[in-house]
Amino acid sequence: MNPLANRHVLLGISGGIAAYKGAELVRLLRTRGAEVQVVLTEAATAFVTPLTLQALSGRPVRSQLLEAKEESAMGHIELARWADVVLVAPASANFLAKLSHGLADDLLTTLCLATDAPIVLAPAMNRQMWVAPATLANRARLLEHGHKLVGPDEGAQACGEVGLGRLVEPGVLMSRLETLFSPGPLAGVSVLITAGPTREAVDPVRFLGNRSSGRMGFAVAAAAVGAGARVTLVSGPVAVDTPARVERIDVVSARDMHAAVMSRAQGCDIFIGAAAVADYRPANPSPHKIKKAAPSLELKLARNPDILAEVAALPGGPFCVGFAAETEDLETNARRKLSRKSLDMLAANRVGFSGPGFESKENSLSLYWEGGSMELPVAPKEQLAVDLMEVITGRYLAKSAAENT
Ligand code: C5P
Protein backbone atom coordinates (compact mmCIF):
# COMPACT_ATOMS: atom_id res chain seq x y z
CA MET A 1 0.00 0.00 0.00
CA ASN A 2 1.31 3.47 -0.83
CA PRO A 3 2.27 5.43 2.31
CA LEU A 4 -0.02 8.23 1.11
CA ALA A 5 -3.10 5.99 0.97
CA ASN A 6 -5.96 7.44 3.05
CA ARG A 7 -3.78 10.35 4.18
CA HIS A 8 -5.40 13.75 4.35
CA VAL A 9 -3.37 16.11 2.18
CA LEU A 10 -4.18 19.81 2.34
CA LEU A 11 -2.82 21.19 -0.93
CA GLY A 12 -2.27 24.95 -0.79
CA ILE A 13 -1.72 26.72 -4.09
CA SER A 14 -0.42 30.27 -4.05
CA GLY A 15 -0.29 32.78 -6.88
CA GLY A 16 2.31 32.04 -9.53
CA ILE A 17 2.46 30.69 -13.05
CA ALA A 18 3.36 27.21 -11.68
CA ALA A 19 -0.10 27.12 -10.06
CA TYR A 20 -1.35 25.24 -13.12
CA LYS A 21 0.78 22.25 -11.99
CA GLY A 22 -1.59 22.00 -9.01
CA ALA A 23 -3.95 19.99 -11.20
CA GLU A 24 -1.27 17.36 -11.84
CA LEU A 25 -0.41 17.28 -8.13
CA VAL A 26 -4.02 16.57 -7.21
CA ARG A 27 -4.17 13.79 -9.80
CA LEU A 28 -0.95 12.15 -8.54
CA LEU A 29 -2.08 12.38 -4.92
CA ARG A 30 -5.44 10.84 -5.74
CA THR A 31 -3.87 7.94 -7.67
CA ARG A 32 -1.85 7.21 -4.50
CA GLY A 33 -5.05 6.98 -2.52
CA ALA A 34 -4.77 10.30 -0.66
CA GLU A 35 -7.74 12.50 0.22
CA VAL A 36 -7.02 15.97 -1.13
CA GLN A 37 -8.45 19.30 -0.02
CA VAL A 38 -7.34 22.17 -2.22
CA VAL A 39 -6.98 25.66 -0.77
CA LEU A 40 -6.27 28.53 -3.15
CA THR A 41 -4.93 31.91 -2.22
CA GLU A 42 -6.71 34.82 -3.84
CA ALA A 43 -3.85 35.34 -6.32
CA ALA A 44 -3.92 31.65 -7.27
CA THR A 45 -7.51 32.00 -8.47
CA ALA A 46 -6.17 34.24 -11.25
CA PHE A 47 -4.09 31.31 -12.55
CA VAL A 48 -6.30 28.24 -12.03
CA THR A 49 -10.03 27.73 -11.83
CA PRO A 50 -11.50 26.14 -8.71
CA LEU A 51 -13.75 24.03 -10.91
CA THR A 52 -10.84 22.02 -12.41
CA LEU A 53 -9.38 21.32 -8.99
CA GLN A 54 -12.75 20.48 -7.52
CA ALA A 55 -13.39 17.95 -10.30
CA LEU A 56 -9.98 16.31 -9.78
CA SER A 57 -10.02 16.28 -5.99
CA GLY A 58 -13.69 15.45 -5.56
CA ARG A 59 -14.02 18.19 -2.94
CA PRO A 60 -15.12 21.82 -3.17
CA VAL A 61 -12.08 24.08 -3.29
CA ARG A 62 -11.64 26.52 -0.39
CA SER A 63 -10.24 30.02 -0.65
CA GLN A 64 -12.05 32.35 1.76
CA LEU A 65 -11.29 32.64 5.44
CA LEU A 66 -14.50 34.04 6.82
CA GLU A 67 -17.03 32.99 4.22
CA ALA A 68 -20.16 31.67 5.99
CA LYS A 69 -21.07 29.01 3.40
CA GLU A 70 -17.55 27.56 3.14
CA GLU A 71 -17.03 27.66 6.91
CA SER A 72 -20.30 25.83 7.54
CA ALA A 73 -19.00 22.79 5.58
CA MET A 74 -15.78 22.56 7.63
CA GLY A 75 -14.51 25.43 9.77
CA HIS A 76 -10.91 26.51 9.23
CA ILE A 77 -9.74 25.06 12.57
CA GLU A 78 -11.42 21.76 11.76
CA LEU A 79 -9.71 21.80 8.38
CA ALA A 80 -6.35 22.47 10.04
CA ARG A 81 -6.93 19.46 12.31
CA TRP A 82 -8.11 17.31 9.38
CA ALA A 83 -4.77 17.62 7.58
CA ASP A 84 -2.10 14.93 8.00
CA VAL A 85 0.22 17.10 5.93
CA VAL A 86 0.08 20.54 4.34
CA LEU A 87 1.76 20.85 0.95
CA VAL A 88 2.05 24.34 -0.50
CA ALA A 89 2.97 24.13 -4.18
CA PRO A 90 3.81 26.49 -5.64
CA ALA A 91 4.82 28.58 -2.62
CA SER A 92 5.36 32.14 -3.84
CA ALA A 93 7.88 34.59 -2.36
CA ASN A 94 4.95 36.47 -0.81
CA PHE A 95 3.56 33.30 0.75
CA LEU A 96 6.97 32.36 2.23
CA ALA A 97 7.30 35.88 3.63
CA LYS A 98 3.87 35.74 5.27
CA LEU A 99 4.35 32.24 6.71
CA SER A 100 7.82 32.99 8.03
CA HIS A 101 6.41 35.94 9.99
CA GLY A 102 3.35 34.12 11.30
CA LEU A 103 0.80 36.19 9.39
CA ALA A 104 -2.70 34.77 9.20
CA ASP A 105 -4.56 37.16 6.91
CA ASP A 106 -6.11 34.60 4.56
CA LEU A 107 -7.30 31.01 4.70
CA LEU A 108 -4.04 29.29 3.70
CA THR A 109 -1.76 31.20 6.09
CA THR A 110 -4.30 30.74 8.89
CA LEU A 111 -4.44 26.98 8.26
CA CYS A 112 -0.64 26.77 8.30
CA LEU A 113 -0.57 28.51 11.67
CA ALA A 114 -3.41 26.45 13.13
CA THR A 115 -2.21 22.98 12.09
CA ASP A 116 0.19 20.69 13.88
CA ALA A 117 0.70 18.65 10.71
CA PRO A 118 4.07 18.89 8.95
CA ILE A 119 4.26 21.67 6.35
CA VAL A 120 6.06 21.02 3.07
CA LEU A 121 6.80 24.03 0.89
CA ALA A 122 7.70 23.86 -2.79
CA PRO A 123 8.85 27.37 -3.71
CA ALA A 124 8.59 28.69 -7.26
CA MET A 125 9.52 32.21 -8.27
CA ASN A 126 11.79 34.32 -10.44
CA ARG A 127 15.47 33.47 -9.77
CA GLN A 128 16.27 36.97 -8.43
CA MET A 129 13.37 36.81 -6.01
CA TRP A 130 14.67 33.44 -4.72
CA VAL A 131 18.06 34.92 -3.80
CA ALA A 132 16.81 38.33 -2.61
CA PRO A 133 18.10 38.98 0.93
CA ALA A 134 14.54 39.12 2.31
CA THR A 135 13.67 35.73 0.78
CA LEU A 136 16.96 34.25 2.07
CA ALA A 137 16.11 35.41 5.59
CA ASN A 138 12.55 34.06 5.27
CA ARG A 139 13.85 30.68 4.04
CA ALA A 140 16.22 30.40 7.01
CA ARG A 141 13.41 31.27 9.41
CA LEU A 142 11.04 28.71 7.87
CA LEU A 143 13.69 25.97 8.21
CA GLU A 144 14.25 27.01 11.82
CA HIS A 145 10.50 26.64 12.41
CA GLY A 146 10.80 23.04 11.21
CA HIS A 147 9.11 23.43 7.82
CA LYS A 148 10.43 21.42 4.90
CA LEU A 149 11.48 23.15 1.70
CA VAL A 150 11.63 21.12 -1.49
CA GLY A 151 13.34 22.79 -4.44
CA PRO A 152 13.18 24.96 -6.40
CA ASP A 153 14.75 23.42 -9.52
CA GLU A 154 17.05 25.10 -11.97
CA GLY A 155 16.00 25.73 -15.56
CA ALA A 156 14.08 27.96 -17.95
CA GLN A 157 11.56 30.19 -16.20
CA ALA A 158 8.22 31.52 -17.41
CA CYS A 159 9.66 35.06 -17.26
CA GLY A 160 12.25 34.09 -19.91
CA GLU A 161 15.18 33.91 -17.49
CA VAL A 162 17.20 30.81 -16.66
CA GLY A 163 18.10 29.88 -13.08
CA LEU A 164 16.91 28.50 -9.75
CA GLY A 165 13.21 29.07 -9.24
CA ARG A 166 11.18 26.41 -11.07
CA LEU A 167 8.73 24.32 -9.10
CA VAL A 168 10.22 20.83 -8.58
CA GLU A 169 8.71 18.07 -10.65
CA PRO A 170 5.43 16.77 -9.18
CA GLY A 171 6.93 13.25 -9.00
CA VAL A 172 9.70 14.53 -6.70
CA LEU A 173 7.11 16.09 -4.42
CA MET A 174 5.25 12.77 -4.27
CA SER A 175 8.43 10.96 -3.12
CA ARG A 176 9.03 13.58 -0.42
CA LEU A 177 5.50 13.16 0.90
CA GLU A 178 5.82 9.38 0.76
CA THR A 179 9.02 9.41 2.85
CA LEU A 180 7.24 11.64 5.36
CA PHE A 181 4.73 8.85 6.00
CA SER A 182 7.11 5.89 5.74
CA PRO A 183 8.27 4.56 9.09
CA GLY A 184 11.85 5.83 9.49
CA PRO A 185 14.81 3.54 10.23
CA LEU A 186 14.48 4.43 13.93
CA ALA A 187 10.77 3.63 14.26
CA GLY A 188 10.20 2.19 17.75
CA VAL A 189 13.60 3.39 18.97
CA SER A 190 13.83 5.88 21.84
CA VAL A 191 16.52 8.52 21.81
CA LEU A 192 17.57 10.64 24.79
CA ILE A 193 19.54 13.80 24.03
CA THR A 194 21.14 16.49 26.19
CA ALA A 195 21.63 19.97 24.77
CA GLY A 196 22.67 23.50 25.65
CA PRO A 197 24.82 24.83 28.46
CA THR A 198 24.40 24.36 32.18
CA ARG A 199 24.41 27.15 34.75
CA GLU A 200 26.23 26.65 38.03
CA ALA A 201 25.07 29.05 40.72
CA VAL A 202 27.67 31.30 42.35
CA ASP A 203 25.03 33.20 44.30
CA PRO A 204 21.30 33.89 43.69
CA VAL A 205 22.04 36.19 40.73
CA ARG A 206 25.32 34.92 39.26
CA PHE A 207 26.34 31.70 37.61
CA LEU A 208 29.20 29.99 35.77
CA GLY A 209 28.09 29.17 32.25
CA ASN A 210 29.42 28.65 28.74
CA ARG A 211 28.82 29.71 25.14
CA SER A 212 26.76 26.70 23.99
CA SER A 213 23.62 27.85 22.12
CA GLY A 214 21.94 24.43 22.13
CA ARG A 215 21.40 24.63 18.36
CA MET A 216 23.34 21.47 17.54
CA GLY A 217 21.56 19.32 20.12
CA PHE A 218 18.15 20.67 19.08
CA ALA A 219 18.96 20.00 15.41
CA VAL A 220 20.01 16.44 16.34
CA ALA A 221 16.67 16.01 18.15
CA ALA A 222 14.78 17.16 15.03
CA ALA A 223 16.86 14.81 12.85
CA ALA A 224 16.14 11.89 15.20
CA VAL A 225 12.39 12.61 14.95
CA GLY A 226 12.85 12.71 11.17
CA ALA A 227 14.39 9.22 11.36
CA GLY A 228 11.24 8.02 13.13
CA ALA A 229 12.54 7.88 16.73
CA ARG A 230 10.74 8.82 19.95
CA VAL A 231 12.84 11.69 21.26
CA THR A 232 13.35 13.19 24.70
CA LEU A 233 15.51 16.28 24.94
CA VAL A 234 16.97 17.40 28.28
CA SER A 235 17.99 20.99 27.77
CA GLY A 236 19.89 23.62 29.70
CA PRO A 237 18.79 27.28 29.41
CA VAL A 238 18.66 28.14 25.68
CA ALA A 239 16.71 30.40 23.33
CA VAL A 240 15.89 27.80 20.67
CA ASP A 241 12.41 26.60 19.67
CA THR A 242 11.57 22.99 20.54
CA PRO A 243 11.39 20.87 17.37
CA ALA A 244 8.01 19.29 16.60
CA ARG A 245 7.25 15.96 18.27
CA VAL A 246 10.09 16.24 20.79
CA GLU A 247 9.48 15.86 24.53
CA ARG A 248 11.55 18.61 26.16
CA ILE A 249 12.66 18.70 29.78
CA ASP A 250 14.21 21.94 30.97
CA VAL A 251 17.00 21.92 33.53
CA VAL A 252 19.43 24.51 34.83
CA SER A 253 22.48 22.97 36.49
CA ALA A 254 24.63 19.93 35.68
CA ARG A 255 23.23 18.15 38.71
CA ASP A 256 19.63 18.82 37.51
CA MET A 257 20.62 17.48 34.08
CA HIS A 258 22.24 14.44 35.68
CA ALA A 259 19.06 13.63 37.62
CA ALA A 260 16.81 14.13 34.59
CA VAL A 261 19.01 11.90 32.43
CA MET A 262 19.71 9.11 34.93
CA SER A 263 16.01 8.61 35.64
CA ARG A 264 15.42 8.00 31.91
CA ALA A 265 18.66 6.48 30.59
CA GLN A 266 17.90 2.84 31.39
CA GLY A 267 14.80 2.87 29.21
CA CYS A 268 16.33 4.47 26.12
CA ASP A 269 18.09 2.88 23.15
CA ILE A 270 20.38 5.72 22.09
CA PHE A 271 21.87 8.44 24.29
CA ILE A 272 23.43 11.50 22.66
CA GLY A 273 25.26 13.90 24.98
CA ALA A 274 25.33 17.15 23.03
CA ALA A 275 25.16 19.42 26.09
CA ALA A 276 28.12 21.50 27.17
CA VAL A 277 27.94 20.36 30.78
CA ALA A 278 29.99 22.34 33.28
CA ASP A 279 32.72 20.09 34.68
CA TYR A 280 32.82 22.09 37.94
CA ARG A 281 30.34 24.04 40.07
CA PRO A 282 30.93 26.50 42.90
CA ALA A 283 31.34 24.24 45.94
CA ASN A 284 29.46 26.52 48.31
CA PRO A 285 27.15 28.89 46.44
CA SER A 286 26.39 31.93 48.55
CA PRO A 287 22.76 32.17 49.70
CA HIS A 288 23.07 35.98 49.39
CA LYS A 289 24.35 38.19 46.58
CA ILE A 290 28.13 38.49 47.05
CA LYS A 291 29.14 42.12 47.75
CA LYS A 292 32.24 43.62 46.18
CA ALA A 293 34.06 44.38 49.41
CA ALA A 294 37.21 42.28 49.37
CA PRO A 295 40.01 43.19 46.89
CA SER A 296 39.95 39.62 45.57
CA LEU A 297 37.68 36.66 45.82
CA GLU A 298 38.35 32.95 45.64
CA LEU A 299 35.80 30.53 44.33
CA LYS A 300 36.19 26.92 45.38
CA LEU A 301 34.88 24.53 42.74
CA ALA A 302 33.61 20.98 43.10
CA ARG A 303 33.50 18.35 40.32
CA ASN A 304 30.17 17.72 38.64
CA PRO A 305 29.08 14.20 37.74
CA ASP A 306 30.03 13.12 34.20
CA ILE A 307 26.59 12.32 32.84
CA LEU A 308 27.75 10.72 29.61
CA ALA A 309 30.35 8.49 31.29
CA GLU A 310 27.75 7.34 33.82
CA VAL A 311 25.21 6.48 31.15
CA ALA A 312 27.86 4.65 29.10
CA ALA A 313 28.78 2.61 32.19
CA LEU A 314 25.21 1.38 32.78
CA PRO A 315 25.01 -2.40 32.35
CA GLY A 316 22.95 -3.09 29.21
CA GLY A 317 22.78 0.68 28.70
CA PRO A 318 22.03 2.59 25.50
CA PHE A 319 24.21 3.17 22.44
CA CYS A 320 26.20 6.22 23.56
CA VAL A 321 27.35 9.14 21.47
CA GLY A 322 29.42 11.97 22.92
CA PHE A 323 30.43 15.36 21.61
CA ALA A 324 33.81 16.95 22.12
CA ALA A 325 34.75 20.54 21.52
CA GLU A 326 38.51 20.73 21.26
CA THR A 327 40.84 23.64 20.68
CA GLU A 328 43.83 21.43 19.69
CA ASP A 329 44.90 17.84 18.84
CA LEU A 330 41.39 16.97 17.75
CA GLU A 331 41.87 13.30 16.90
CA THR A 332 44.16 12.38 19.82
CA ASN A 333 41.86 14.02 22.36
CA ALA A 334 38.72 12.65 20.73
CA ARG A 335 40.03 9.06 20.67
CA ARG A 336 41.17 9.35 24.28
CA LYS A 337 37.68 10.51 25.28
CA LEU A 338 36.04 7.75 23.25
CA SER A 339 37.86 5.03 25.15
CA ARG A 340 37.97 6.74 28.57
CA LYS A 341 34.18 7.14 28.59
CA SER A 342 33.55 3.78 26.79
CA LEU A 343 31.48 5.43 24.06
CA ASP A 344 30.16 3.92 20.85
CA MET A 345 30.85 7.11 18.92
CA LEU A 346 32.28 10.56 19.41
CA ALA A 347 31.54 13.68 17.33
CA ALA A 348 34.35 16.18 17.63
CA ASN A 349 34.68 19.72 16.42
CA ARG A 350 37.37 22.32 16.65
CA VAL A 351 36.43 25.44 18.59
CA GLY A 352 38.20 28.70 19.15
CA PHE A 353 37.44 32.34 19.69
CA SER A 354 36.36 32.68 16.04
CA GLY A 355 35.02 30.48 13.25
CA PRO A 356 32.27 27.88 13.37
CA GLY A 357 31.43 26.26 16.68
CA PHE A 358 29.36 27.07 19.72
CA GLU A 359 27.24 30.07 18.74
CA SER A 360 27.40 29.80 14.95
CA LYS A 361 24.71 28.39 12.66
CA GLU A 362 27.25 26.25 10.80
CA ASN A 363 29.66 23.60 11.96
CA SER A 364 31.71 20.63 10.80
CA LEU A 365 32.28 17.37 12.67
CA SER A 366 34.86 14.59 12.78
CA LEU A 367 33.27 11.31 13.83
CA TYR A 368 35.28 8.60 15.60
CA TRP A 369 34.49 5.09 16.71
CA GLU A 370 36.64 2.11 17.51
CA GLY A 371 38.48 1.24 14.33
CA GLY A 372 36.93 3.95 12.16
CA SER A 373 36.29 7.62 11.49
CA MET A 374 34.40 9.93 9.14
CA GLU A 375 34.44 13.64 8.28
CA LEU A 376 31.24 15.65 7.98
CA PRO A 377 32.19 18.90 6.18
CA VAL A 378 30.99 22.42 7.12
CA ALA A 379 27.21 22.70 6.73
CA PRO A 380 24.27 24.39 8.48
CA LYS A 381 23.72 22.64 11.82
CA GLU A 382 20.32 21.30 10.65
CA GLN A 383 21.93 19.52 7.68
CA LEU A 384 24.90 18.36 9.74
CA ALA A 385 22.53 16.89 12.31
CA VAL A 386 20.71 14.90 9.60
CA ASP A 387 24.06 13.55 8.31
CA LEU A 388 25.21 12.74 11.84
CA MET A 389 21.93 10.98 12.65
CA GLU A 390 22.35 8.85 9.54
CA VAL A 391 25.76 7.63 10.72
CA ILE A 392 24.48 7.05 14.28
CA THR A 393 21.50 5.10 12.90
CA GLY A 394 23.72 2.90 10.75
CA ARG A 395 26.12 2.09 13.58
CA TYR A 396 23.32 1.60 16.15
CA LEU A 397 21.42 -0.81 13.87
CA ALA A 398 24.63 -2.72 13.05
CA LYS A 399 25.47 -3.05 16.77
CA SER A 400 21.93 -4.21 17.65
CA ALA A 401 21.99 -6.75 14.81
CA ALA A 402 25.39 -8.08 15.98
CA GLU A 403 24.12 -8.37 19.56
CA ASN A 404 21.04 -10.29 18.45
CA THR A 405 22.94 -12.95 16.49
O1 C5P B 1 35.05 15.36 28.89
P1 C5P B 1 34.30 16.35 28.06
O2 C5P B 1 33.52 17.32 28.87
O3 C5P B 1 35.12 17.03 27.01
O4 C5P B 1 33.24 15.45 27.24
C1 C5P B 1 32.27 16.02 26.45
C2 C5P B 1 31.11 15.07 26.33
O5 C5P B 1 30.73 14.59 27.61
C3 C5P B 1 29.88 15.73 25.78
O6 C5P B 1 29.15 14.74 25.05
C4 C5P B 1 29.12 16.17 27.02
O7 C5P B 1 27.74 16.29 26.78
C5 C5P B 1 29.44 15.07 27.99
N1 C5P B 1 29.56 15.50 29.40
C6 C5P B 1 28.61 15.07 30.32
N2 C5P B 1 28.75 15.43 31.64
C7 C5P B 1 29.79 16.19 32.05
C8 C5P B 1 30.73 16.63 31.13
C9 C5P B 1 30.59 16.27 29.82
O8 C5P B 1 27.67 14.39 29.94
N3 C5P B 1 29.87 16.52 33.34
Side-chain angles (χ1 to χ4, degrees), residues 194-196 198 254 257-258 261 271-280 303-311 321-326 333 337 340-341 343 345-347:
T194 64
T198 63
M257 187 173 274
H258 176 256
V261 167
F271 175 70
I272 304 173
V277 188
D279 293 320
Y280 294 92
R303 265 300 273 273
N304 270 330
D306 190 320
I307 305 168
L308 179 60
E310 268 189 48
V311 174
V321 183
F323 272 76
E326 302 289 345
N333 285 323
K337 208 161 284 180
R340 182 165 40 86
K341 299 200 189 195
L343 305 178
M345 191 194 287
L346 191 101

Side-chain angles (χ1 to χ4, degrees), residues 199-209 252 282 285-286 288-293 297 299:
R199 288 182 181 176
E200 311 300 320
V202 173
D203 68 19
V205 293
R206 303 181 179 97
F207 58 83
L208 298 181
V252 177
S286 163
H288 311 291
K289 187 177 171 198
I290 300 169
K291 298 278 181 231
K292 58 167 179 293
L297 190 66
L299 209 53

Side-chain angles (χ1 to χ4, degrees), residues 77-383:
I77 297 296
E78 250 179 289
L79 197 52
R81 289 198 193 117
W82 173 89
D84 293 319
V85 62
V86 176
L87 168 65
V88 183
S92 64
N94 181 54
F95 181 79
L96 297 183
K98 290 209 291 188
L99 185 63
S100 71
H101 287 86
L103 265 67
D105 63 350
D106 66 3
L107 181 60
L108 188 55
T109 47
T110 304
L111 288 171
C112 286
L113 217 55
T115 191
D116 63 359
I119 298 178
V120 180
L121 305 162
M125 64 195 73
N126 164 271
R127 66 183 179 90
Q128 286 295 350
M129 292 170 81
W130 177 243
V131 294
T135 307
L136 286 173
N138 294 336
R139 280 156 58 182
R141 198 200 234 86
L142 289 165
L143 287 173
E144 238 170 70
H145 293 176
H147 302 320
K148 293 166 182 50
L149 269 80
V150 189
D153 272 351
E154 190 148 17
Q157 302 203 287
C159 52
E161 296 185 18
V162 176
L164 262 181
R166 283 167 62 93
L167 183 73
V168 288
E169 288 306 319
V172 173
L173 278 175
M174 290 306 113
S175 323
R176 279 303 287 264
L177 291 190
E178 282 164 3
T179 39
L180 210 62
F181 291 110
S182 310
L186 292 183
V189 173
S190 67
V191 180
L192 181 62
I193 300 171
T194 64
T198 63
R199 288 182 181 176
E200 311 300 320
V202 173
D203 68 19
V205 293
R206 303 181 179 97
F207 58 83
L208 298 181
N210 61 66
R211 291 167 52 200
S212 167
S213 66
R215 268 196 210 105
M216 191 66 213
F218 275 57
V220 170
V225 168
R230 248 177 305 117
V231 181
T232 306
L233 179 62
V234 179
S235 175
V238 294
V240 190
D241 291 337
T242 313
R245 286 169 284 150
V246 165
E247 185 197 356
R248 170 169 165 182
I249 293 142
D250 285 315
V251 295
V252 177
S253 70
R255 287 199 291 180
D256 296 343
M257 187 173 274
H258 176 256
V261 167
M262 296 319 290
S263 63
R264 292 168 176 84
Q266 209 49 279
C268 77
D269 302 302
I270 299 177
F271 175 70
I272 304 173
V277 188
D279 293 320
Y280 294 92
R281 66 179 181 276
N284 304 300
S286 163
H288 311 291
K289 187 177 171 198
I290 300 169
K291 298 278 181 231
K292 58 167 179 293
S296 73
L297 190 66
E298 276 186 22
L299 209 53
K300 188 160 183 277
L301 301 178
R303 265 300 273 273
N304 270 330
D306 190 320
I307 305 168
L308 179 60
E310 268 189 48
V311 174
L314 288 173
F319 182 92
C320 281
V321 183
F323 272 76
E326 302 289 345
T327 50
E328 65 233 307
D329 293 336
L330 194 70
E331 173 149 15
T332 316
N333 285 323
R335 289 222 174 265
R336 221 174 266 157
K337 208 161 284 180
L338 185 75
S339 71
R340 182 165 40 86
K341 299 200 189 195
S342 313
L343 305 178
D344 294 288
M345 191 194 287
L346 191 101
N349 67 311
R350 214 176 289 280
V351 290
F353 285 111
S354 60
F358 274 145
E359 289 158 320
S360 69
K361 293 197 168 171
E362 292 204 323
N363 207 351
S364 66
L365 288 174
S366 304
L367 309 184
Y368 300 100
W369 55 87
E370 210 187 302
S373 68
M374 188 175 190
E375 292 295 318
L376 299 180
V378 177
K381 285 181 178 173
E382 289 76 18
Q383 182 56 50

Side-chain angles (χ1 to χ4, degrees), residues 3-60:
L4 286 171
N6 303 320
R7 299 288 180 181
H8 293 174
V9 181
L10 200 149
L11 174 63
I13 301 179
S14 64
I17 183 62
Y20 78 92
K21 292 188 183 165
E24 175 67 352
L25 287 171
V26 176
R27 197 186 64 76
L28 291 177
L29 287 165
R30 296 288 289 146
T31 54
R32 283 161 176 74
E35 293 279 324
V36 185
Q37 171 66 60
V38 178
V39 175
L40 296 178
T41 64
E42 198 174 334
T45 59
F47 292 93
V48 278
T49 70
L51 204 58
T52 312
L53 298 161
Q54 174 175 318
L56 288 168
S57 67
R59 286 168 173 270

